[in-house]
Amino acid sequence: DGLRYTLNLIHDRYGVPIMVVENGLGAYDTVEEDGSIHDPYRIDYLRSHIKALGEAYDDGVNIIGYTTWGCIDIISAGTGEMSKRYGYIYVDRDDLGNGTLKRTPKDSYYWYKKVIASNGEDLD
């Protein structure tokens, strides 16, 4: 609701095209025994925000683009930690800098790939 409201507010106030950038969610992801990472909370977050973009567009807001936060897990600029994850591709690295740096797609990776392929139409 906040994203849709803010997009409409900016549109009404400035009347300029809007591109939403770096939209995402930081969370403490868990790697399962089989190596998979299930992050339904990230999918729910992104889904709700993409829906809000569509609603704002239907309201008449001139939205010209959308990007998520970094696609891979990154070191937090504020804390230097890796334990809170932001991407939809897991990076094997801990807060002390240990790990193989192996990349593993999370469930959100496959979901977002489908969203992109459908131009935002398939959000299930």
Side-chain angles (χ1 to χ4, degrees):
D1 294 337
L3 179 58
R4 181 181 182 186
Y5 173 82
T6 302
L7 291 169
N8 274 280
L9 184 69
I10 292 169
H11 171 75
D12 292 345
R13 185 176 295 169
Y14 302 107
V16 297
I18 300 171
M19 181 171 186
V20 176
V21 297
E22 293 192 359
N23 176 246
L25 168 76
Y28 297 97
D29 298 329
T30 302
V31 180
E32 302 295 332
E33 283 188 32
D34 65 359
S36 62
I37 300 103
H38 305 297
D39 57 344
Y41 38 84
R42 186 170 288 107
I43 293 170
D44 291 343
Y45 179 92
L46 293 172
R47 178 186 295 118
S48 67
H49 284 79
I50 294 170
K51 283 182 180 180
L53 283 169
E55 292 165 354
Y57 182 83
D58 291 343
D59 294 340
V61 177
N62 185 8
I63 298 170
I64 60 172
Y66 169 82
T67 63
T68 63
W69 236 332
C71 61
I72 65 170
D73 291 338
I74 56 173
I75 297 171
S76 172
T79 65
E81 296 174 332
M82 282 291 292
S83 53
K84 193 170 186 183
R85 308 279 175 164
Y86 298 90
Y88 33 85
I89 300 172
Y90 182 89
V91 177
D92 179 28
R93 184 106 178 179
D94 66 19
D95 289 341
L96 300 176
N98 301 311
T100 65
L101 299 178
K102 178 185 176 191
R103 272 74 167 164
T104 303
K106 303 174 189 177
D107 289 351
S108 58
Y109 169 89
Y110 299 105
W111 175 83
Y112 195 56
K113 180 180 177 182
K114 182 178 62 161
V115 171
I116 292 169
S118 71
N119 197 28
E121 295 295 322
D122 186 356
L123 296 176
D124 293 326

